[in-house]
Amino acid sequence: MFEEEEVGLNQQLAGKVALVTGASSGIGEMAARALAAAGAEVVVAARRADKLAVLASEIADSGGKVFVVAGDVSREADALRMVADSIEKFGRIDILVNSAGIIEAGGLESLSIDQWQRVIDINLMGTIYICKAALPQMKAQGEGDIINISSTAGRRAAGLMGAYSTSKFGLTGFTEGLRQEMGGYGVRVSIIEPGATETEVAEGISDPEMRDAMRHHVARAGVMQPSDIADAIMFIIGLPRRANVSQILIRPTDDTAPM
Ligand code: NDP
């Protein structure tokens, strides 16, 4: 099991290159640490270059190889640059983790169209831009792993999470279609659907009451830690290449709500 304090290089992923979006915090950050600790060369991507720089220096200090690309995945030009810079730096992309995402809470009446658009642009289109940009490289390699981070909200809609659920339901359709499209080229495509995980994800919510409720939801005792989702990513990657885990639904043990 991967724990942050256990970071130490092993060679499981030596020679592999990983691009992780949303690496400046939470699940993406922990995924980047886990991949680097397993010997992969890791490109860390997000908008906050300062946070990425701190992460990169910590990974480098542990003996890892890391490269920072700052940008906004909801801008196609940034997504293209993230992928191109990764390939220019390390020569290939073996593992792509799309963790960049935001939550906006509210219903169709209370959220503006711009707010709906932003959630869909980041959570869904951002992942699509990055995947489209990385595919030619993976196809040429005849090998690759794409892991998209969705949510339980991609399976179960809620009245005040409409925009978020729409983006994550969309991600499910996109990911399964891509799996079917790319399996014949040796590219595995997976989706992970986490439940409550202790990260900064509540901070992007505009409405103060909803933000507080979400803060509580992801910080209460018993929720998962980003390392739990990083473990799921490492499990997917670690299986023989003939096996594609297409979907992992992972929830806090004490989350007994039916799905
Ligand atoms: P965090 O807020 O901790 O991390 C989100 C990451 O996404 C940050 O690194 C942020 O970096 C990045 N990001 C946001 N918008 C953009 C953008 N436009 N371009 C590039 N990067 C962006 O939250 P989590 O780690 O929890 O979220 C990761 C994923 O997990 C999301 O897709 C979320 O929907 C999903 N998830 C989280 C759950 C939870 O309970 N925490 C449950 C289910 C799913 P920056 O601001 O620097 O750009």
Side-chain angles (χ1 to χ4, degrees):
M1 176 166 163
F2 179 79
E3 294 289 351
E4 191 174 1
E5 61 269 22
E6 287 172 10
V7 170
L9 281 179
N10 66 51
Q11 291 305 301
Q12 185 196 349
L13 295 178
K16 302 286 185 193
V17 176
L19 167 58
V20 182
T21 73
S24 63
S25 82
I27 293 167
E29 177 187 338
M30 199 51 74
R33 289 184 190 276
L35 290 160
E41 295 165 345
V42 179
V43 182
V44 289
R47 292 166 302 181
R48 288 172 293 176
D50 53 339
K51 295 206 75 170
L52 293 175
V54 171
L55 172 65
S57 74
E58 287 173 14
I59 290 174
D61 287 348
S62 307
K65 293 197 189 84
V66 60
F67 182 60
V68 170
V69 284
D72 181 339
V73 294
S74 71
R75 296 187 189 146
E76 188 183 5
D78 283 16
L80 286 166
R81 182 174 46 80
M82 286 171 178
V83 169
D85 287 358
S86 303
I87 296 167
E88 193 183 328
K89 175 70 180 174
F90 290 132
R92 49 192 295 126
I93 300 179
D94 299 284
I95 300 156
L96 169 58
V97 178
N98 287 297
S99 190
I102 58 160
I103 296 182
E104 186 55 282
L108 187 56
E109 279 194 297
S110 56
L111 290 181
S112 68
I113 288 297
D114 281 351
Q115 286 172 310
W116 273 73
Q117 189 71 57
R118 185 164 165 269
V119 174
I120 291 166
D121 281 349
I122 295 174
N123 295 1
L124 180 57
M125 292 312 299
T127 299
I128 292 172
Y129 294 145
I130 296 271
C131 287
K132 186 166 175 62
L135 271 191
Q137 178 66 32
M138 288 190 170
K139 215 170 149 180
Q141 291 167 188
E143 199 174 289
D145 284 310
I146 297 174
I147 299 166
N148 295 335
I149 307 299
S150 180
S151 167
T152 50
R155 283 187 181 226
R156 182 177 56 199
L160 294 181
M161 295 290 278
Y164 186 62
S165 272
T166 299
S167 72
K168 297 298 192 180
F169 270 74
L171 199 53
T172 298
F174 167 67
T175 304
E176 173 57 13
L178 188 61
R179 187 193 68 77
Q180 293 178 27
E181 186 181 345
M182 295 314 295
Y185 298 100
V187 177
R188 301 186 295 189
V189 183
S190 313
I191 197 163
I192 298 179
E193 301 166 309
T197 308
E198 190 169 3
T199 70
E200 296 174 10
V201 77
E203 301 312 314
I205 296 176
S206 308
D207 180 272
E209 275 181 34
M210 302 266 202
R211 189 165 58 237
D212 275 353
M214 186 59 69
R215 275 183 184 144
H216 176 73
H217 179 65
V218 299
R220 65 167 181 80
V223 294
M224 296 185 292
Q225 294 300 312
S227 60
D228 301 329
I229 315 307
D231 282 346
I233 292 169
M234 299 307 281
F235 168 72
I236 289 171
I237 295 166
L239 286 180
R241 292 217 60 82
R242 61 180 175 264
N244 184 164
V245 177
S246 49
Q247 212 161 14
I248 289 183
L249 172 62
I250 177 168
R251 284 166 286 176
T253 303
D254 67 4
D255 175 354
T256 54
M259 187 53 68

